[in-house]
């Protein structure tokens, strides 16, 4: 697992923020548990964002992506991202976030589970076979994560 700080420039973060504002969100996206739907941003409109982030990750090719949102009470389901054949997952946060707001990313490594609090301009790269999920925010704010499914270039 690797933590990336300052993944994007401020100009690129502004591009992300502007791109995902508006009414292109839908509720009901299912990861693995049909009883735990979450918010999801329009797939086609999110492609330039995914490309921008993936371009910062040398040695990896973008295979798939999604932009998810969770609100109060919407804890995600533990899942892996290897179902699409990718080797690595990269979860990126661009929002300013407070620890007391919850919404942490749980990476359930067998020997050492990791809990990551979202931070502005922070990314986490890990093996796509590892179970992970996002806990629900404790505040009425949309917690957004950008998930990339990557293949390591060898």
């Amino acid at each position: 697992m690797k933590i990336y700080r300052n993944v994007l420039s401020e100009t690129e973060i502004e591009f992300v923020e502007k791109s995902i504002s508006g009414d292109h969100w839908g509720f009901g996206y299912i990861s693995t548990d049909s009883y735990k739907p979450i918010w999801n941003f329009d797939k086609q409109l999110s492609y330039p964002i995914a490309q921008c982030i993936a371009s910062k990750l040398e040695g990896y090719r973008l295979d798939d992506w999604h932009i998810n949102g969770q609100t109060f009470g919407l804890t995600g389901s533990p899942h892996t991202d290897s179902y699409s054949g990718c080797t690595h997952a990269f979860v990126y946060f661009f929002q300013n976030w407070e620890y007391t707001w919850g919404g942490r990313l749980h990476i359930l490594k067998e020997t050492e589970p990791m809990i990551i609090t979202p931070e502005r301009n922070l990314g986490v790269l890990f093996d796509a076979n590892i179970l992970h999920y996002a806990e629900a925010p404790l505040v009425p704010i949309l917690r957004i994560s950008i998930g990339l499914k990557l293949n390591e270039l060898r």
Side-chain angles (χ1 to χ4, degrees):
M1 185 171 75
K2 183 175 180 183
I3 302 289
Y4 290 75
R5 297 188 185 281
N6 302 313
V7 176
L8 301 181
S9 70
E10 282 302 316
T11 302
E12 290 167 325
I13 292 173
E14 288 173 14
F15 164 72
V16 170
E17 291 170 335
K18 183 177 180 184
S19 296
I20 66 167
S21 63
D23 60 357
H24 299 286
W25 286 90
F27 183 74
Y29 175 77
I30 303 296
S31 177
T32 56
D33 185 341
S34 61
Y35 293 106
K36 293 187 174 186
I38 58 175
W39 292 91
N40 193 256
F41 188 74
D42 181 90
K43 181 82 167 186
Q44 276 189 312
L45 294 176
S46 64
Y47 181 63
I49 296 168
Q51 275 190 309
C52 178
I53 296 167
S55 73
K56 310 297 182 178
L57 303 170
E58 191 173 322
Y60 295 92
R61 183 188 76 240
L62 180 64
D63 185 46
D64 197 8
W65 68 95
H66 56 269
I67 299 179
N68 291 334
Q70 293 169 269
T71 51
F72 184 82
L74 294 179
T75 293
S77 299
H79 65 280
T80 68
D81 286 341
S82 59
Y83 61 86
S84 66
C86 68
T87 60
H88 289 78
F90 186 78
V91 178
Y92 176 73
F93 304 103
F94 65 91
Q95 296 169 290
N96 289 315
W97 199 259
E98 300 288 330
Y99 176 83
T100 57
W101 295 354
R104 287 174 278 278
L105 172 64
H106 293 251
I107 301 173
L108 306 175
K109 293 171 48 178
E110 286 183 29
T111 57
E112 185 181 334
M114 300 289 297
I115 300 173
I116 310 286
T117 298
E119 293 178 22
R120 183 174 179 81
N121 210 4
L122 177 81
V124 183
L125 179 72
F126 54 95
D127 185 306
N129 289 304
I130 297 175
L131 278 172
H132 60 282
Y133 71 96
E135 67 183 45
L138 302 174
V139 293
I141 296 172
L142 184 65
R143 174 225 183 257
I144 300 170
S145 61
I146 301 171
L148 305 183
K149 294 169 181 52
L150 306 167
N151 276 301
E152 187 171 15
L153 302 174
R154 296 178 186 195

